[in-house]
Amino acid sequence: MRLTDDRYSGERSQFELALRMIRHEARTRTIRSCTGLSDDRIRKLYATYFRDTGNTVVKRRRGKSPRQVTRYVKTPENQLQATTLVALFCAGLLVRIDGDDRVHACWPRPDVEFGHRLCRAYETYLLLHENANLSFANLNFEWAWNLLQCISHNEELYLAQCRGCESRYVQDAYALDDQTCPACSIVTPNKPRAGLPGLAPA
Ligand SMILES: [Zn+2]
């Protein structure tokens, strides 16, 4: 009986995560890698809970996740949002930042718990930017997913330190870095102020 209960609660958690991710318009392969559900079951879940109920707000995205890292650093606003997400990944224990500002993945591979933590980080990001004077959800769920992959492997993106306020921020490894965090460059370009909290090395 115990085994059956565990199996039932495990499956329920998989389905809950799949629905949560579908709502964020995650791609099928992203949902599959976290839930372990087959593409067919994910399609059926989408059809049952979204398409066949006339819910046209949620769309299904196909194909690969976006890969261009320039999206995260194109403007100080984008950079600020990417940095906020990395701070939330850190708070959700998806990544760890060491004393040299290098980022380490805390999860050997995606699973259901990882997926729920990623959703929580992304939902908090949406709440934080809901009323901001920025395009809503500048970074969609797949961009957040890709950011987590890139920053976890220190590929093309790294955490730079601001010379004004000493906070860390997401920077393109191949770009010229003027050591100014997005918060300082947005607020007062010539007079740096306290920037982003939450990215001190652990
Ligand atoms: Zn700064």
Side-chain angles (χ1 to χ4, degrees):
M1 285 304 283
R2 182 93 185 95
L3 194 65
T4 314
D5 289 348
D6 282 351
R7 201 177 146 205
Y8 172 73
S9 81
E11 279 193 352
R12 199 180 65 177
S13 193
Q14 278 177 308
F15 284 124
E16 279 170 358
L17 177 61
L19 294 176
R20 196 174 183 182
M21 293 178 84
I22 290 170
R23 248 178 245 120
H24 291 312
E25 301 181 5
R27 286 168 205 263
T28 305
R29 69 166 62 192
T30 310
I31 300 170
R32 185 183 61 210
S33 67
C34 290
T35 61
L37 296 172
S38 69
D39 288 7
D40 193 47
R41 292 190 92 177
I42 295 166
R43 270 192 292 273
K44 281 179 182 149
L45 274 177
Y46 172 76
T48 308
Y49 290 93
F50 297 93
R51 192 187 62 206
D52 296 347
T53 58
N55 184 337
T56 53
V57 178
V58 173
K59 295 183 185 69
R60 272 197 64 215
R61 293 176 194 270
R62 293 176 174 82
K64 289 183 177 178
S65 287
R67 287 292 300 179
Q68 306 91 324
V69 299
T70 47
R71 174 74 182 251
Y72 305 113
V73 295
K74 201 165 59 178
T75 65
E77 285 82 5
N78 286 25
Q79 219 172 354
L80 187 63
Q81 295 197 19
T83 304
T84 303
L85 267 169
V86 172
L88 292 167
F89 294 156
C90 192
L93 304 180
L94 288 161
V95 296
R96 180 176 64 80
I97 301 169
D98 69 19
D100 297 320
D101 292 341
R102 287 186 62 83
V103 182
H104 303 271
C106 294
W107 244 257
R109 69 186 75 82
D111 62 11
V112 173
E113 176 63 21
F114 173 94
H116 278 297
R117 283 169 185 258
L118 177 60
C119 284
R120 199 174 307 134
Y122 184 68
E123 287 154 12
T124 308
Y125 159 77
L126 291 183
L127 285 173
L128 288 171
H129 289 278
E130 197 170 25
N131 298 315
N133 190 21
L134 302 166
S135 58
F136 176 68
N138 188 14
L139 299 173
N140 70 30
F141 188 85
E142 288 293 333
W143 283 103
W145 165 268
N146 182 47
L147 175 64
L148 179 56
Q149 310 298 320
C150 289
I151 203 83
S152 298
H153 298 103
N154 298 279
E155 279 172 7
E156 299 180 66
L157 292 174
Y158 73 108
L159 290 180
Q161 188 176 1
C162 178
R163 67 189 144 98
C165 67
E166 296 188 354
S167 67
R168 304 333 187 246
Y169 59 98
V170 172
Q171 181 59 291
D172 179 354
Y174 300 106
L176 280 176
D177 179 35
D178 66 357
Q179 295 179 277
T180 307
C181 77
C184 285
S185 61
I186 290 169
V187 178
T188 46
N190 301 318
K191 189 179 156 218
R193 280 178 22 182
L196 291 164
L199 270 188

